[in-house]
């Protein structure tokens, strides 16, 4: 059994085992062990692809190359740290009476199945299977968002299901149009949805059909990315679901949906040489960035605030990929990586802070630095990192995006600076009193898992000071593949 098969099989099999395991004593450990196994298999798969180059798996149904292999490793890594964080977090939730044993079993099994669907979406070569995997990810996360079974969580899950269901339907129609365009060129060979075949004939695809297909796919998968005005589900899902779910939604699912758009953009750029796809992405990215920045100042719930921060950053990343070119694509890939690591670390700290204070309302969360200095500093450093303060890596990626925009799209620079400035003021102004204010709060019954917070932040700091050569080579190669 090769490393790729293990990467997909471990979360699938462990999800099924956890579904029948109930609350046996080994179930929480199995969740962490399975996530560790998935990460190790993905790391070995990454080393193999770096050494020998792209390869097909299971005929031509799955394809691993420089664009997706490091995203697979990143997904597995964040999945591992989230499973470590969720152990004590979920025990505290049960101590507080918010969860029961059956719901904990549902959480663990759906968490592993969610990881499986994301890894399948990242590695499939078939755009039809990609659509199926994205739909399966929606269904698993609906169950996770509604885990508390409160009226608010059920409403958030229903909104998520309806909006993303409509979005996925648009993506299905776009996939059908893409197949229609490809079949004219490739014939009835069964290869019309295989990306490796499509990219070879992208210049021969009918431009009008490809333009329509890209619009539907951008709107469909853009709903999952959280692009405005299709973002309404995301703040509710983050606020009402368990914090580990918020971490993987922001840190992983948004990346996977954007990856799907990028694969299709490569085809659209080949078929439509006018920059049509890039201009659309720039427009949606800028709109998303501005909308999220101005909504940030109105938030009172800490998880909703950082959900809007995720929307803001996905807008910035979409804008970067829309600009295209070596520098912008490099910066977009780097920002995807840094946002995943930073935002998941922030949600880890936010989850324990909300548990300690018994609320997610920011006005009632004060003095984290006195309650638990580690959580307080974790939240403060994570906030500074996501706001782009040097020497954290987000500063480097945002700087590259801004300078590239200044050179090639100067009209967008004032909009970018205004939105980033508003977001900075809104988030920093709300987090500072939460960390350094006065408070009187008791300790939690179970010590929080803080290690994942600082592991993530250490990686973000390292990438701001030094990017390992093999990672630089991947960013360059992946940026080249994107055009």
């Amino acid at each position: 059994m090769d490393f790729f098969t293990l990467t997909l099989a471990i979360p699938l099999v462990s999800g099924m085992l956890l579904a029948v395991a109930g609350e046996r004593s080994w179930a929480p450990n199995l969740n962490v062990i399975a996530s560790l196994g998935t990460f190790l298999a993905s790391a070995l798969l990454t080393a193999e692809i770096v050494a020998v180059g792209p390869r097909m798996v299971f005929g031509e149904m799955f394809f691993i190359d420089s664009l997706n292999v490091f995203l697979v490793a990143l997904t597995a890594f964040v999945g591992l740290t989230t499973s470590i964080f969720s152990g004590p977090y979920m025990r505290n939730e049960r101590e507080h009476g918010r969860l029961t044993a059956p719901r904990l079993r549902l959480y663990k099994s759906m968490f592993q199945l969610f990881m499986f669907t994301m890894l399948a979406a990242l590695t499939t070569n078939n755009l039809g299977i990609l659509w199926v995997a994205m739909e399966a990810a929606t269904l698993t996360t609906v169950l996770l968002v509604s885990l508390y079974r409160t009226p608010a969580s059920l409403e958030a899950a229903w909104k998520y299901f309806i909006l993303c269901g409509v979005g996925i339907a648009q993506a299905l129609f776009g996939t059908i149009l893409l197949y229609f365009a490809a079949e004219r060129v490739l014939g009835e060979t069964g290869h019309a949805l295989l990306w490796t075949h499509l990219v070879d004939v992208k210049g021969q695809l009918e431009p009008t059909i490809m333009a329509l297909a890209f619009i539907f796919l951008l709107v469909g998968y853009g709903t999952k990315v959280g692009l405005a005005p299709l973002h309404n589900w995301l703040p509710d899902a983050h606020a009402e679901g368990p914090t580990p779910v918020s971490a993987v939604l922001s840190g992983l699912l948004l990346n996977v949906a954007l990856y799907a758009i990028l694969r299709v953009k490569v085809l659209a750029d080949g078929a439509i040489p006018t920059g049509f796809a890039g201009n659309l992405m720039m427009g949606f990215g800028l709109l998303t960035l501005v909308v999220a920045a101005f909504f940030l100042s109105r938030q009172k719930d800490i998880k909703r605030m950082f959900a809007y921060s995720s929307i803001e950053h996905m807008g910035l990343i979409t804008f970067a990929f829309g600009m295209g070119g070596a520098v912008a694509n490099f910066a977009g890939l780097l920002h995807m990586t840094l946002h995943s690591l930073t935002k998941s670390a922030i949600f880890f700290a936010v989850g324990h802070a909300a548990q300690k204070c018994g609320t997610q309302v920011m006005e009632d969360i004060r003095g984290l630095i006195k309650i638990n200095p580690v959580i307080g500093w974790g939240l403060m450093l994570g906030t500074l990192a996501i706001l782009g303060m040097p020497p954290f890596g987000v500063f480097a990626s945002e700087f590259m995006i801004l300078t590239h925009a200044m050179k090639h799209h100067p009209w967008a620079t004032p909009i970018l600076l205004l939105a980033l400035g508003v977001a900075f003021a809104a988030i920093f102004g709300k987090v500072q009193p939460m960390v350094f204010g006065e408070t009187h709060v008791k300790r939690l019954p179970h010590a929080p898992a803080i290690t994942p917070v600082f592991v993530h932040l250490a990686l973000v700091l390292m990438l701001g000071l030094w990017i390992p050569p093999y990672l630089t080579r991947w960013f360059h190669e992946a940026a080249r593949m994107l055009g």
Side-chain angles (χ1 to χ4, degrees):
M1 186 176 290
D2 63 16
F3 299 132
F4 171 78
T5 305
L6 284 173
T7 301
L8 289 187
I10 291 173
L12 178 61
V13 174
S14 60
M16 295 177 179
L17 286 174
L18 287 165
V20 299
E23 271 305 287
R24 291 178 173 84
S25 58
W26 46 267
N29 294 331
L30 176 60
N31 192 37
V32 177
I33 292 170
S35 299
L36 176 60
T38 303
F39 171 65
L40 292 176
S42 68
L44 293 171
L45 175 65
T46 302
E48 177 185 332
I49 298 302
V50 168
V52 302
R55 72 183 183 95
M56 299 283 187
V57 186
F58 301 142
E60 291 185 302
M61 285 299 102
F62 291 88
F63 174 67
I64 303 96
D65 63 1
S66 296
L67 180 57
N68 60 12
V69 71
F70 275 94
L71 290 175
V72 168
L74 176 66
T75 299
F77 175 74
V78 175
L80 169 61
T81 55
T82 303
S83 68
I84 294 171
F85 159 80
S86 65
Y89 179 87
M90 287 303 189
R91 286 197 296 272
N92 283 322
E93 292 293 89
R94 189 170 181 185
E95 290 280 345
H96 293 155
R98 300 192 69 193
L99 289 176
T100 61
R103 291 180 196 167
L104 284 174
R105 176 173 63 179
L106 176 66
Y107 165 76
K108 297 185 188 77
S109 61
M110 287 301 106
F111 180 85
Q112 289 297 327
L113 292 177
F114 175 55
M115 294 299 299
F116 166 75
T117 58
M118 288 192 295
L119 293 169
L122 285 171
T123 55
T124 184
N125 189 33
N126 189 304
L127 297 182
I129 296 178
L130 171 63
W131 181 88
V132 172
M134 292 298 296
E135 176 68 4
T138 300
L139 296 176
T140 55
T141 44
V142 163
L143 295 173
L144 290 171
V145 169
S146 64
L147 195 67
Y148 290 130
R149 299 297 190 270
T150 61
S153 68
L154 292 172
E155 179 185 348
W158 182 248
K159 182 185 289 187
Y160 174 41
F161 178 71
I162 294 297
L163 289 177
C164 288
V166 172
I168 286 292
Q170 304 299 311
L172 175 60
F173 189 61
T175 304
I176 293 170
L177 286 172
L178 180 59
Y179 176 83
F180 180 65
E183 192 181 32
R184 291 183 168 192
V185 178
L186 295 172
E188 298 181 2
T189 59
H191 299 153
L193 284 179
L194 297 181
W195 191 83
T196 48
H197 288 267
L198 288 168
V199 77
D200 289 336
V201 298
K202 61 185 179 181
Q204 304 173 45
L205 300 175
E206 171 60 39
T208 304
I209 299 176
M210 282 302 300
L212 286 172
F214 183 77
I215 290 171
F216 279 103
L217 287 161
L218 177 61
V219 171
Y221 290 133
T223 305
K224 300 283 286 186
V225 176
L227 298 180
L230 315 166
H231 65 283
N232 291 347
W233 65 270
L234 200 149
D236 289 345
H238 280 63
E240 303 303 333
T243 300
V245 177
S246 302
V248 291
L249 280 176
S250 269
L252 301 179
L253 181 61
L254 307 187
N255 279 359
V256 175
L258 184 56
Y259 163 83
I261 294 174
L262 293 178
R263 283 291 194 192
V264 181
K265 179 180 181 289
V266 173
L267 303 178
D269 284 341
I272 314 166
T274 59
F276 172 80
N279 291 335
L280 268 182
M281 291 182 68
M282 287 172 61
F284 271 102
L286 271 183
L287 175 64
T288 302
L289 178 61
V290 171
V291 168
F294 282 95
F295 267 102
L296 276 167
S297 61
R298 300 177 56 187
Q299 303 311 308
K300 298 181 180 179
D301 182 296
I302 186 170
K303 289 172 69 176
R304 286 183 68 88
M305 181 181 73
F306 282 113
Y308 274 105
S309 172
S310 295
I311 296 171
E312 173 214 350
H313 282 276
M314 295 313 293
L316 183 63
I317 296 168
T318 302
F319 176 81
F321 286 124
M323 288 192 293
V327 175
N329 286 334
F330 184 99
L333 291 164
L334 179 60
H335 202 81
M336 282 177 73
T337 305
L338 294 166
H339 177 259
S340 292
L341 294 171
T342 309
K343 191 53 64 65
S344 50
I346 288 173
F347 275 113
F348 296 159
V350 164
H352 286 311
Q355 278 188 334
K356 279 185 172 293
C357 298
T359 180
Q360 293 177 191
V361 178
M362 287 183 280
E363 289 184 357
D364 298 330
I365 300 176
R366 290 291 183 268
L368 291 175
I369 204 77
K370 297 178 181 177
I371 300 170
N372 187 317
V374 180
I375 291 178
W377 280 114
L379 179 58
M380 194 71 241
L381 292 174
T383 300
L384 292 174
I386 205 64
L387 291 176
M389 293 294 289
F392 291 103
V394 177
F395 169 79
S397 56
E398 287 187 349
F399 184 79
M400 281 192 284
I401 294 170
L402 281 169
T403 52
H404 191 76
M406 287 178 187
K407 181 177 180 180
H408 298 282
H409 305 279
W411 59 269
T413 307
I415 303 173
L416 291 170
L417 291 173
L418 173 65
L420 292 173
V422 170
F424 185 98
I427 294 176
F428 189 78
K430 291 178 182 294
V431 170
Q432 191 270 341
M434 286 193 287
V435 174
F436 297 107
E438 295 293 332
T439 188
H440 302 283
V441 175
K442 296 180 181 178
R443 289 185 174 275
L444 288 170
H446 298 283
I450 295 299
T451 304
V453 177
F454 289 96
V455 170
H456 283 214
L457 293 179
L459 289 173
V460 173
L461 178 61
M462 180 195 77
L463 292 175
L465 300 172
W466 172 71
I467 302 177
Y470 67 87
L471 196 57
T472 304
R473 286 195 299 272
W474 169 67
F475 284 139
H476 279 298
E477 177 63 19
R480 183 193 62 77
M481 292 176 62
L482 292 173

